[in-house]
Amino acid sequence: MLLTVVSFLVVIGVIVTLHEFGHFLAARLSGMRVTKFSIGFPPKIWSRNFGQTEFQVCWIPLGGFVHIAGMVDESLDDTVTGAPDEFMSKNPLQKIFTLSAGVMMNYLTAFVLIAILTVSVGVPDPQGTAVGEVMAGMPALKAGVVKDDVIETVEGRAVGSWEDVVQAITAARDTVNIGIRRASGEHVEFAIPTQIIPGSDPPRHVVGIAPKVVFRPASPGEAISQGGLFCWRTSVGIVRFVGDLFGGASSVKDLAGPLGVAKLSGESAREGGDAFLFFIAYVSVSIGFLNILPFPVLDGGHIVYVIIESIIRRPIPSKLKLYIQQAGMAMLLMLVLFVSYQDLLRIFAN
């Protein structure tokens, strides 16, 4: 329990601090006055003033905020005086740069962590068609496939690489015929029922096996490449999930709230430092991506304000922004409460 709490605080603390630091740094580079830098939400644990900014740490560790003078944000402060160092006094590019800097910092964090892990652990190199893992509860295990089996044929066709194996099984129907050479040299044929990956379009069939791999040293170029690929693939996965939500293939019940993230934080920490850093990278991209969505309260919602004001060539009334922010905060709070309730159901079900 203690490890779960500590690991959750580390995950959220690192991601939120770096996200808000991105906003803070961009605002200062753009000549904006930052009045408050908060990790967590009030009540306060600690605060101190440095220059014109009050830095504070608060008791509710579910986010944070940087309040820029003259900006209607999570603080719901609608004071705009027209001073040159206020948010509303800057040009659209400066505003968008400042608003998107937190998301950019989230992606940079994930990119750096994955690059470091790639250098530290190495690059996985599949060992031909040898099976390295047979997943619990999956059809391959029930059929009798074991670790170190070598797959020679799928649906009667010879396979020379793990990619060939994946493509052949993915394209299979309800049952796939696999020819295997055992470590003893014995050749065995299996007819294995397949499972479809939920939400895959077109349907992708799996049987629950993973390749046997060794890790070779990674070059700097490969580390950079892996960092970029991780950010891209994670973002594409989130886009697909959001699409499934609107298409009905997934449900908001599948979302993880604070309790779910805490549980996963503890599990990844128990698996070791590499798994924990990988989890931080994944959550960092997820939070960054969600923050750029055009929803009130989120960074993307503020960017929408800037775009609209650039088109109509006048500010949206502060009172209207305030009402929109309040409505957005209420909806976001209801969503957090709902997914937290689902987290509790999953925790007690296990």
Side-chain angles (χ1 to χ4, degrees), residues 12-25 34-50 52-68 73-76 299:
I12 296 301
V14 168
I15 293 172
V16 169
T17 300
L18 291 174
H19 177 95
E20 300 306 335
F21 179 71
H23 288 308
F24 175 82
L25 183 61
V34 179
T35 61
K36 188 169 292 186
F37 185 116
S38 179
I39 304 303
F41 295 107
K44 298 178 187 178
I45 300 174
W46 170 91
S47 70
R48 181 166 296 178
N49 290 323
F50 293 95
Q52 297 176 308
T53 306
E54 178 190 3
F55 292 84
Q56 65 180 30
V57 178
C58 299
W59 282 107
I60 303 176
L62 299 179
F65 62 91
V66 165
H67 179 54
I68 302 170
D73 58 10
E74 293 87 342
S75 66
L76 301 180
D299 297 333

Side-chain angles (χ1 to χ4, degrees), residues 12-326:
I12 296 301
V14 168
I15 293 172
V16 169
T17 300
L18 291 174
H19 177 95
E20 300 306 335
F21 179 71
H23 288 308
F24 175 82
L25 183 61
R28 299 301 298 132
L29 289 173
S30 300
M32 300 178 191
R33 175 165 42 94
V34 179
T35 61
K36 188 169 292 186
F37 185 116
S38 179
I39 304 303
F41 295 107
K44 298 178 187 178
I45 300 174
W46 170 91
S47 70
R48 181 166 296 178
N49 290 323
F50 293 95
Q52 297 176 308
T53 306
E54 178 190 3
F55 292 84
Q56 65 180 30
V57 178
C58 299
W59 282 107
I60 303 176
L62 299 179
F65 62 91
V66 165
H67 179 54
I68 302 170
M71 178 180 173
V72 179
D73 58 10
E74 293 87 342
S75 66
L76 301 180
D77 181 3
D78 61 346
T79 303
V80 179
T81 66
D85 59 358
E86 289 184 348
F87 180 83
M88 292 302 296
S89 300
K90 302 302 178 180
N91 65 53
L93 289 179
Q94 290 173 312
K95 293 176 183 177
I96 291 174
F97 169 58
T98 300
L99 292 169
S100 60
V103 172
M104 289 189 286
M105 187 63 79
N106 282 136
Y107 273 81
L108 179 61
T109 299
F111 174 87
V112 170
L113 285 177
I114 296 301
I116 291 173
L117 284 173
T118 301
V119 171
S120 173
V121 177
V123 177
D125 188 9
Q127 300 299 288
T129 59
V131 176
E133 180 184 3
V134 185
M135 298 169 192
M138 294 295 285
L141 181 65
K142 297 174 183 177
V145 179
V146 298
K147 182 180 178 181
D148 292 328
D149 281 348
V150 176
I151 299 175
E152 295 185 320
T153 62
V154 179
E155 292 296 307
R157 297 179 181 177
V159 288
S161 67
W162 192 260
E163 184 178 354
D164 292 341
V165 174
V166 172
Q167 290 178 348
I169 294 176
T170 297
R173 299 296 180 180
D174 296 336
T175 302
V176 60
N177 296 296
I178 297 178
I180 284 174
R181 186 181 75 251
R182 287 270 149 91
S184 63
E186 177 189 7
H187 184 83
V188 184
E189 293 281 344
F190 292 105
I192 305 177
T194 63
Q195 291 185 4
I196 297 176
I197 298 176
S200 58
D201 185 21
R204 295 185 59 198
H205 297 254
V206 296
V207 295
I209 54 176
K212 184 176 183 178
V213 299
V214 296
F215 288 85
R216 59 176 175 78
S219 68
E222 286 176 317
I224 292 171
S225 174
Q226 289 299 312
L229 283 173
F230 174 84
C231 293
W232 169 254
R233 289 169 177 168
T234 304
S235 300
V236 169
I238 297 171
V239 169
R240 286 175 177 165
F241 178 76
V242 172
D244 288 343
L245 280 178
F246 286 100
S250 297
S251 166
V252 289
K253 293 181 179 180
D254 299 322
L255 292 169
L259 294 176
V261 173
K263 181 174 180 291
L264 293 171
S265 298
E267 291 174 356
S268 64
R270 290 183 185 93
E271 291 178 14
D274 292 342
F276 188 56
L277 291 178
F278 184 88
F279 181 72
I280 292 176
Y282 179 80
V283 176
S284 188
V285 170
S286 300
I287 288 178
F289 184 91
L290 293 176
N291 259 286
I292 207 64
L293 295 178
F295 185 83
V297 182
L298 302 180
D299 297 333
H302 289 292
I303 291 174
V304 170
Y305 295 152
V306 174
I307 294 173
I308 292 174
E309 289 172 341
S310 298
I311 293 173
I312 65 177
R313 297 183 179 279
R314 64 177 183 275
I316 298 173
S318 294
K319 292 295 183 184
L320 177 58
K321 286 184 184 178
L322 192 61
Y323 293 143
I324 294 173
Q325 288 296 105
Q326 290 172 329

